[in-house]
């Protein structure tokens, strides 16, 4: 599915958090969002997911305005993994992941073995099958993050939005989750802090001060000048001697 944002704006109590954002993500593309803390990445993702209604502009899915779509239809097409999504309920890991199937259930379409298989696969994809019977409150932060991602995978979305999904994950699970996301045959918008991880995206966009100030191929966008102006760091681009991929090293510009 194609995801488009047109002149998107958002404000709270007169304070502008997002302004004139234009975004165009092609079907099957992985688009990385980068930017300093407070630059508007989370706000943009929530608008793209339909959790907040823009004060200005429109979000479209395959040309259809998100504002005119039924919530159930949106939930069957778009999944969002937020940074924080806590609960005080006594709930088991498998039950959390099974919530991803909710948009597809009804009186005429009850839970089935097909749903069980989807939940099983989602748990396996994030290496949490062995913890399916654990209570939510006993999990570490990284384990909870993996369960959130499994819940989104169980939703089988056409568009997957991820807000810093590698937060709290150890390096092994960071790499496995990012590789899984890259292999999904769906449209992905992923917010990342690690700029070397962002280099693996098909395209990236740079958020700063609530605006999308640049977007395009990673090597075109992540220039030394832009990194210094936006992040306050000096960057050096190197070629990995093992696979030839471009990697960046940083030092403070202060």
């Amino acid at each position: 599915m194609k995801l488009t944002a047109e002149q998107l704006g958002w404000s709270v109590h007169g304070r502008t958090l997002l302004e004139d954002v234009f975004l165009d993500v092609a079907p099957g593309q992985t688009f990385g969002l980068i930017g300093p803390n407070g630059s508007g990445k989370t706000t943009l993702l929530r608008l793209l997911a339909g959790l907040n209604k823009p004060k200005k502009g429109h979000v479209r899915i395959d040309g259809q305005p998100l504002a005119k779509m039924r919530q159930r239809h949106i939930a069957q097409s778009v999944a969002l993994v937020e940074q924080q999504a806590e609960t005080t309920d006594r709930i088991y890991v498998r039950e959390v992941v099974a919530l991803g199937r909710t948009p597809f259930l009804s009186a005429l379409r009850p839970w089935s073995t097909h749903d069980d298989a989807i939940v099983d696969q989602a748990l396996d994809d994030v290496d949490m099958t062995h913890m399916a019977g654990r209570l939510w409150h006993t999990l570490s932060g990284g384990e909870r993050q993996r369960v959130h991602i499994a819940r989104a995978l169980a939703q089988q979305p056409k568009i997957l939005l991820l807000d810093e999904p590698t937060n709290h994950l150890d390096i092994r699970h960071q790499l496995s989750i990012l590789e899984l996301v890259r292999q999904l045959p769906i449209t992905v918008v992923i917010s990342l802090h690690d700029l070397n991880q962002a280099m693996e995206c098909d395209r990236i966009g740079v958020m700063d001060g609530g605006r999308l100030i640049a977007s395009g191929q990673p090597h075109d966008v992540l220039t030394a000048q832009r990194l210094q102006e936006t992040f306050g760091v000096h960057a050096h681009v190197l070629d990995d001697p093992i696979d030839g991929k471009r990697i960046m090293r940083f030092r403070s510009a202060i």
Side-chain angles (χ1 to χ4, degrees):
M1 281 184 155
K2 183 177 181 178
L3 180 63
T4 307
E6 303 168 349
Q7 208 171 358
L8 217 55
W10 174 257
S11 60
V12 177
H13 304 305
R15 181 189 173 199
T16 299
L17 301 181
L18 211 68
E19 187 172 5
D20 291 330
V21 171
F22 290 84
L23 185 66
D24 194 358
V25 186
Q29 191 174 75
T30 297
F31 188 91
L33 274 180
I34 62 172
N37 289 337
S39 60
K41 300 186 299 295
T42 295
T43 299
L44 176 57
L45 287 171
R46 289 181 63 84
L47 291 174
L48 295 176
L51 295 184
N52 293 335
K53 294 183 179 181
K55 307 292 184 182
K56 181 183 177 183
H58 305 279
V59 176
R60 298 182 187 273
I61 295 178
D62 279 348
Q64 183 177 0
L66 196 66
K68 294 185 178 180
M69 295 173 62
R70 294 176 59 190
Q71 194 60 45
R72 182 181 179 87
H73 186 197
I74 295 173
Q76 290 176 346
S77 304
V78 182
L80 170 66
V81 178
E82 298 189 83
Q83 290 186 51
Q84 301 291 334
E86 302 301 334
T87 178
T88 58
D89 294 337
R90 184 180 175 86
I91 188 170
Y92 292 92
V93 166
R94 186 179 179 82
E95 294 173 333
V96 174
V97 179
L99 290 174
R101 302 303 301 154
T102 302
F104 303 93
L105 303 177
S106 68
L108 298 178
R109 201 297 201 181
W111 189 272
S112 69
T113 55
H114 176 65
D115 298 297
D116 280 323
I118 291 172
V119 171
D120 288 340
Q121 184 61 56
L123 284 164
D124 184 62
D125 285 341
V126 300
D127 192 26
M128 287 295 286
T129 300
H130 62 294
M131 292 191 177
R134 285 272 297 271
L135 282 167
W136 172 262
H137 72 270
T138 67
L139 301 181
S140 69
E143 290 164 348
R144 292 184 185 190
Q145 189 77 341
R146 283 151 59 197
V147 174
H148 286 317
I149 294 170
R151 185 266 309 156
L153 294 176
Q155 205 170 325
Q156 294 191 315
K158 307 293 191 305
I159 296 173
L160 179 60
L161 310 173
L162 302 121
D163 193 0
E164 297 181 18
T166 55
N167 270 7
H168 310 299
L169 298 186
D170 58 57
I171 186 62
R172 178 171 73 90
H173 286 108
Q174 283 187 34
L175 295 174
S176 64
I177 291 297
L178 291 173
E179 181 61 26
L180 170 64
V181 169
R182 282 194 291 269
Q183 292 177 356
L184 293 173
I186 61 176
T187 306
V188 176
V189 180
I190 179 170
S191 168
L192 292 164
H193 265 311
D194 189 318
L195 300 185
N196 280 306
Q197 292 176 353
M199 291 281 284
E200 299 293 317
C201 296
D202 297 318
R203 291 172 59 232
I204 60 173
V206 182
M207 297 291 299
D208 194 11
R211 291 179 176 271
L212 186 66
I213 61 172
S215 65
Q217 299 292 322
H219 61 273
D220 292 330
V221 172
L222 294 179
T223 63
Q225 180 178 351
R226 179 164 288 115
L227 290 169
Q228 182 173 349
E229 292 174 352
T230 303
F231 295 94
V233 296
H234 291 300
H236 300 277
V237 180
L238 309 172
D239 291 326
D240 191 312
I242 297 176
D243 58 15
K245 290 183 178 180
R246 299 180 71 195
I247 57 175
M248 292 182 290
R249 294 186 62 185
F250 307 97
R251 61 183 177 85
S252 174
I254 300 176

